[in-house]
Amino acid sequence: MSSIPIALQLYSVRHELAQDLRGTLQAVAEMGYAGVEFAGPPQHDARDLRALLDEFGLACCGWHTPFALVQDDRLAETVAFHQALGNDKVIVPGIPAELRQTRDDWLRLADFFNRLADKLAPHGLRTGYHNHHVEFQPLEGEAPWDTFFSHTDPAVIMQLDNGNALYGGADVVEIIRRYPGRAVTVHLKPYSRAAGADNPVHGFRPLIGEDEIPWEAFFQACESVGGTQWYIVEYESDAYPPLEAVKRCLQALRAMGK
């Protein structure tokens, strides 16, 4: 078995979480997940969430934090929340479209994240960026992912979502190797180009192990050069009931020795 723990991105079960926070966290823990990653603006008190995580033996391995909440006018409250929760990874899951139209925009974003990392460091926190598919579609001769990560400091976490990246046309193994030590957390999201040939949304329907991610090579890259500390499952399709889907994804990973 891999020594890298497996967490669940709770966006996968967001409706269940909204209806029954405690029961959903308990179910995730009972499946065998070691941790969770939250997403979106906080909906609960940080200390209450921490108490639930402690009760069920779950670690918080990150939070998908909206870009607006890491701006200077909101940063102090964001820092206080995550310190109370016990989360040290403030991951931005996307950038408003109007701020990423040109290569220069991505260079400005790289500078912003470098400064954000410096602001968070004294508080024991890190920031990072999570991709969708547009980051791998060339913009002025270069993929925005490369524009961004070749101009950010190593302190900025490269949270590669392998399913989104494959959908965008990327080589998900080569990316890990290109930026050694940066993939501190990665998203394990199944994707099949064949299934998504007519409609990309359908590409996300297969479960882990039934898709086209080169899992063995991807894990080898993460575990040899990626610096990966957490694998985070995310399943977005409605092809299966959410709790069933994430349980089956974890079982597939266990069968792979993870």
Side-chain angles (χ1 to χ4, degrees), residues 102-171:
T102 67
R103 185 174 186 275
D104 281 345
D105 286 343
W106 282 99
L107 290 172
R108 280 189 285 271
L109 287 167
D111 182 63
F112 172 85
F113 274 79
N114 287 335
R115 288 184 280 111
L116 177 60
D118 289 342
K119 293 172 184 176
L120 292 176
H123 304 286
L125 304 178
R126 298 185 67 179
T127 190
Y129 183 68
H130 169 95
N131 63 281
H132 290 84
H133 70 283
V134 298
E135 293 87 349
F136 303 98
Q137 297 175 342
L139 183 64
E140 299 176 41
E142 185 175 47
W145 190 256
D146 292 316
T147 304
F148 182 83
F149 278 104
S150 64
H151 290 87
T152 46
D153 298 331
V156 178
I157 294 169
M158 181 185 77
Q159 190 184 77
L160 180 68
D161 181 308
N162 59 13
N164 286 347
L166 187 64
Y167 167 34
D171 181 332

Side-chain angles (χ1 to χ4, degrees), residues 16-17 19-30 52 56 243:
E16 291 76 7
L17 198 72
Q19 294 170 1
D20 183 2
L21 172 66
R22 190 179 190 280
T24 302
L25 291 175
Q26 182 176 8
V28 169
E30 290 175 351
L52 285 173
F56 298 124
L243 286 169

Side-chain angles (χ1 to χ4, degrees), residues 9 11 37-39 63-65 90-96 100 106 113 127-136 145 148-149 156-165 182 185-189 204 232-236:
Q9 165 51 252
Y11 186 79
E37 182 180 53
F38 291 87
W63 194 300
H64 274 195
T65 305
V90 180
I91 308 296
V92 177
I95 302 295
R100 52 172 173 79
W106 282 99
F113 274 79
T127 190
Y129 183 68
H130 169 95
N131 63 281
H132 290 84
H133 70 283
V134 298
E135 293 87 349
F136 303 98
W145 190 256
F148 182 83
F149 278 104
V156 178
I157 294 169
M158 181 185 77
Q159 190 184 77
L160 180 68
D161 181 308
N162 59 13
N164 286 347
R182 301 290 297 272
T185 63
V186 296
H187 271 218
L188 311 182
K189 181 182 293 178
F204 294 101
I232 303 173
V233 169
E234 184 173 21
Y235 184 83
E236 293 185 342

Side-chain angles (χ1 to χ4, degrees), residues 166-207:
L166 187 64
Y167 167 34
D171 181 332
V172 298
V173 176
E174 194 274 333
I175 290 168
I176 299 292
R177 296 191 174 282
R178 193 186 316 159
Y179 298 99
R182 301 290 297 272
V184 176
T185 63
V186 296
H187 271 218
L188 311 182
K189 181 182 293 178
Y191 187 75
S192 167
R193 287 173 173 161
D198 295 326
N199 183 344
V201 172
H202 296 168
F204 294 101
R205 285 182 170 174
L207 297 166

Side-chain angles (χ1 to χ4, degrees), residues 223-234:
E223 293 166 22
S224 60
V225 301
T228 304
Q229 298 173 7
W230 280 95
Y231 291 136
I232 303 173
V233 169
E234 184 173 21

